[in-house]
């Protein structure tokens, strides 16, 4: 069995920690530093990092849903209730409106780009806002529902542009705060780190390009179709609808994959800053980075999702036997109940990729002591806000080890009992199975019993009637 170790051993650090820990009555951990080495993250600095984030209403998920509602409302007003506004058709027999089509694509993409590709949402919002302003400047082409629809479009553009700029600014601010805490020292990634820059985002990039290529083919089919025999221009609304869906999906997937690939490249290109943090696992599989693994009042900061392909276990041996005996702080914990220490390499903001190195202990059957190995995980940081984690209490290392040994003994006893029963079953098979395999023995016993009464016919000449 393998378990997470509460406190990092010295061998798991890039170099020895300098300083000592102390915990106050309210459970806040602090560390006195006497010079170099890898830095820890004080709770006060972590709170400043948290306050640098954008307000919840402009967070990626919430802001994306707000924009989706605004865009859907604009669709209803412009294309459902308005009778004279410019839509896909500019009038009967006039063919398809191509001039306003780019703005329609960008308007539809705003919620998705805001959530996953905020860099692209800013110019898209500016372009769509310009289209809306030009439409409102022509009163003859706008009725009351259309005017309300264009005002909703302007509101959506304002939310998208403002929120995207604030999110990009918050990322820079959070990176600078984390770098200030980490100090000027830079460390190479630990040995065994998965080389995610070789695959991170590649599938999304190629999928997005494929969708955009299909969209271009469909759009070209509608764009270069000639007029009908009657002279009426070809109506390419069907091709426009299919292309809109394909382009919005393709550009979103492509942009998300490209940003993930660039984050992985930045992580692997050069040595990175490092911090000692706490990590706690959620019930849904997400892991949350905390300022440390000692302060019970410190709230989780940012999440990542560890994947099997991006985790390397047992990259190097950290210790065995008495090197982490009971009482020295290197006991194992349940990461769903309390955080464990890890070294975080990389910058700290949503969308960045980081590497976390932590210690795991591997026990074997009937062993009081096991072996402690380093485990390395590479993962992008997620923009999640809601963690659902409650307060935690530190586990008693000695009591936890006694409980683990008792569970191991009970498991071993159950295993031996199952083996003993299987062996007895092989030695003493059930009677019914042996009689069925007798090859007709029950019929022979019946004939012998019938012969004892002097039947004559079944025995041949042996009985007669004497």
């Amino acid at each position: 069995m393998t378990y997470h170790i509460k406190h990092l051993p010295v061998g798991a650090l890039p170099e020895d920690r300098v300083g000592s820990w102390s915990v106050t009555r309210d459970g806040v951990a602090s560390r006195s530093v006497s010079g170099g080495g890898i830095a820890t993250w004080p709770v006060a600095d972590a709170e400043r990092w948290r306050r640098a984030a954008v307000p919840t209403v402009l967070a990626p998920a919430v802001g994306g849903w707000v924009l989706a509602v605004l865009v859907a409302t604009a669709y209803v007003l412009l294309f459902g209730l308005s009778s004279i506004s410019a839509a896909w058709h500019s009038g009967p027999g006039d063919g398809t409106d191509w001039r306003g089509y780019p703005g329609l694509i960008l308007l539809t993409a705003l919620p998705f780009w805001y959530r996953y590709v905020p860099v692209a949402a800013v110019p898209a919002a500016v372009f769509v806002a310009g289209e809306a302003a030009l439409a409102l400047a022509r009163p003859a082409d706008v009725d009351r529902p259309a005017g309300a629809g264009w005002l909703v479009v302007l509101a959506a553009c304002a939310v998208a542009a403002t929120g995207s700029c604030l999110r990009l600014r918050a990322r820079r601010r959070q990176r600078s705060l984390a770098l200030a805490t980490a100090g000027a020292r830079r460390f190479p990634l630990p040995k065994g780190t998965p080389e995610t820059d070789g695959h991170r985002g590649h599938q999304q990039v190629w999928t997005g390009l494929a969708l955009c290529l299909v969209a271009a083919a469909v759009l070209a089919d509608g764009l270069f179709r000639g007029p009908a025999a009657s002279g009426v221009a070809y109506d390419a609304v069907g091709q426009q609808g299919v292309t809109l869906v394909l382009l919005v999906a393709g550009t979103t997937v492509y942009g998300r994959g490209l940003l993930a690939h660039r984050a992985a490249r930045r992580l692997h290109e050069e040595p990175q800053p490092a911090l000692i943090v706490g990590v706690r696992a959620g019930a849904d599989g997400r892991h949350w980075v905390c300022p440390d693994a000692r302060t019970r009042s410190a709230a989780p900061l940012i999440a990542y999702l560890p994947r099997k392909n991006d985790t390397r276990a047992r990259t190097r041996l950290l210790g065995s036997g008495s090197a982490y005996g009971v009482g020295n702080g290197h006991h194992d914990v349940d990461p769903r109940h309390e955080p464990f220490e890890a070294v975080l390499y990389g910058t700290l903001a949503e969308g960045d990729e980081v590497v976390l190195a932590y210690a795991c202990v591997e026990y074997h059957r009937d062993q009081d002591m096991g072996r402690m190995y380093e485990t390395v995980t590479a993962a992008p940081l997620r923009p999640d806000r809601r963690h659902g984690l409650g307060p935690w209490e530190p586990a008693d290392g000695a009591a936890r080890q006694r409980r683990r040994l008792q569970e191991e003994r009970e498991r071993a006893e159950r295993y031996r009992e199952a083996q003993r029963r299987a062996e007895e079953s092989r030695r003493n098979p059930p009677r019914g199975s042996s009689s069925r395999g007798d090859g007709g023995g029950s019929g022979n016993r019946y004939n012998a019993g019938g012969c004892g009464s002097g039947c004559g016919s079944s025995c041949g000449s042996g009985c007669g009637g004497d």
Side-chain angles (χ1 to χ4, degrees), residues 419-433:
Q419 292 292 98
R420 186 183 62 79
R421 291 179 180 178
E423 183 65 23
E424 289 181 355
S425 177
R426 286 193 296 269
R427 292 180 179 178
N428 303 312
R431 285 187 176 184
S433 62

Side-chain angles (χ1 to χ4, degrees), residues 3-17 21 38-40 190 274-279 291-294 315-316 318-319 323-324 328-333 339-345 355-361 372-376:
Y3 302 89
H4 291 80
I5 292 295
K6 174 67 176 180
H7 301 313
L8 284 168
V10 174
L13 303 178
E15 63 180 45
D16 292 347
R17 252 185 299 187
W21 280 96
I38 188 170
T40 58
L275 285 169
I276 296 178
V277 298
V279 177
D292 58 60
R294 303 169 185 260
T315 56
R316 60 189 174 115
L318 300 176
Y324 53 97
N328 66 358
H330 296 157
H331 59 275
D332 57 87
V333 296
F340 60 90
E341 276 189 345
V343 179
L344 185 147
Y345 299 85
V355 169
L356 292 110
Y358 47 94
C360 291
V361 59
M372 199 157 43
Y373 296 95
E374 184 179 60
T375 300
V376 181

Side-chain angles (χ1 to χ4, degrees), residues 233-274:
Y234 178 72
D235 192 349
V237 172
Q239 285 90 335
Q240 283 187 334
V242 174
T243 301
L244 184 145
V245 175
L246 292 174
L247 283 178
V248 170
T251 53
T252 303
V253 173
Y254 172 82
R256 190 179 182 185
L258 183 61
L259 292 178
H261 175 66
R262 292 182 61 185
R265 287 288 301 274
R266 288 195 303 268
L267 178 69
H268 289 269
E269 280 180 350
E270 56 187 4
Q272 295 294 325

Side-chain angles (χ1 to χ4, degrees), residues 140-202:
D141 298 335
V142 178
D143 57 4
R144 181 172 296 178
W150 288 119
L151 290 177
V152 173
V153 170
L154 287 175
C157 293
V159 171
T162 304
S164 297
C165 291
L166 290 178
R167 283 178 60 195
L168 296 175
R169 178 179 178 273
R171 287 183 181 183
R172 291 192 296 269
R173 176 63 175 160
Q174 287 181 324
R175 289 193 189 105
S176 64
L177 289 173
L179 289 174
T181 301
R185 298 295 301 273
R186 297 295 181 265
F187 303 91
L189 299 181
K191 294 182 179 180
T193 299
E195 297 180 359
T196 54
D197 55 337
H199 67 84
R200 183 78 73 203
H202 285 190

Side-chain angles (χ1 to χ4, degrees), residues 81 149 302 403 439:
L81 301 180
I302 196 167
R403 185 168 59 253

Side-chain angles (χ1 to χ4, degrees), residues 37-352:
I38 188 170
T40 58
W41 204 357
V43 176
D45 292 348
E47 286 302 318
R48 282 194 291 270
W49 184 94
R50 186 201 305 279
R51 290 194 296 269
V54 295
T56 303
V57 70
L58 295 177
V62 178
W65 281 110
V66 171
L67 285 173
V69 172
L70 291 175
V71 171
T73 303
Y75 260 77
V76 172
L77 292 172
L78 289 174
F79 306 127
L81 301 180
S82 176
S83 58
I84 63 174
S85 66
W88 284 342
H89 297 279
S90 54
D94 293 335
T96 307
D97 179 23
W98 292 100
R99 186 191 62 81
Y101 186 59
L104 186 65
I105 295 176
L106 296 179
L107 174 64
T108 308
L110 272 184
F112 303 96
W113 288 4
Y114 180 83
R115 181 164 185 175
Y116 299 111
V117 198
V119 175
V122 177
V126 172
F127 182 88
V128 175
E131 290 282 321
L134 290 176
L136 290 173
R138 298 189 297 268
D141 298 335
V142 178
D143 57 4
R144 181 172 296 178
W150 288 119
L151 290 177
V152 173
V153 170
L154 287 175
C157 293
V159 171
T162 304
S164 297
C165 291
L166 290 178
R167 283 178 60 195
L168 296 175
R169 178 179 178 273
R171 287 183 181 183
R172 291 192 296 269
R173 176 63 175 160
Q174 287 181 324
R175 289 193 189 105
S176 64
L177 289 173
L179 289 174
T181 301
R185 298 295 301 273
R186 297 295 181 265
F187 303 91
L189 299 181
K191 294 182 179 180
T193 299
E195 297 180 359
T196 54
D197 55 337
H199 67 84
R200 183 78 73 203
H202 285 190
Q203 183 177 359
Q204 293 172 313
V205 167
W206 290 113
T207 301
L209 288 176
L211 290 174
C212 292
L213 184 61
V214 174
V218 175
L219 193 63
D221 178 70
L223 185 61
F224 296 106
R225 284 280 188 97
S230 59
V232 178
Y234 178 72
D235 192 349
V237 172
Q239 285 90 335
Q240 283 187 334
V242 174
T243 301
L244 184 145
V245 175
L246 292 174
L247 283 178
V248 170
T251 53
T252 303
V253 173
Y254 172 82
R256 190 179 182 185
L258 183 61
L259 292 178
H261 175 66
R262 292 182 61 185
R265 287 288 301 274
R266 288 195 303 268
L267 178 69
H268 289 269
E269 280 180 350
E270 56 187 4
Q272 295 294 325
L275 285 169
I276 296 178
V277 298
V279 177
R280 190 175 175 190
D284 56 359
R286 292 178 300 171
H287 284 50
W288 290 85
V289 176
C290 307
D292 58 60
R294 303 169 185 260
T295 305
R296 297 191 296 274
S297 60
L301 300 174
I302 196 167
Y304 69 94
L305 185 63
R307 299 186 182 277
K308 185 177 180 180
N309 293 338
D310 296 332
T311 300
R312 299 290 184 269
R314 300 199 298 182
T315 56
R316 60 189 174 115
L317 180 66
L318 300 176
S320 60
S322 60
Y324 53 97
V326 176
N328 66 358
H330 296 157
H331 59 275
D332 57 87
V333 296
D334 184 350
R336 294 172 297 180
H337 295 161
E338 65 174 295
F340 60 90
E341 276 189 345
V343 179
L344 185 147
Y345 299 85
T347 55
L348 209 67
E350 67 168 271
D352 290 345

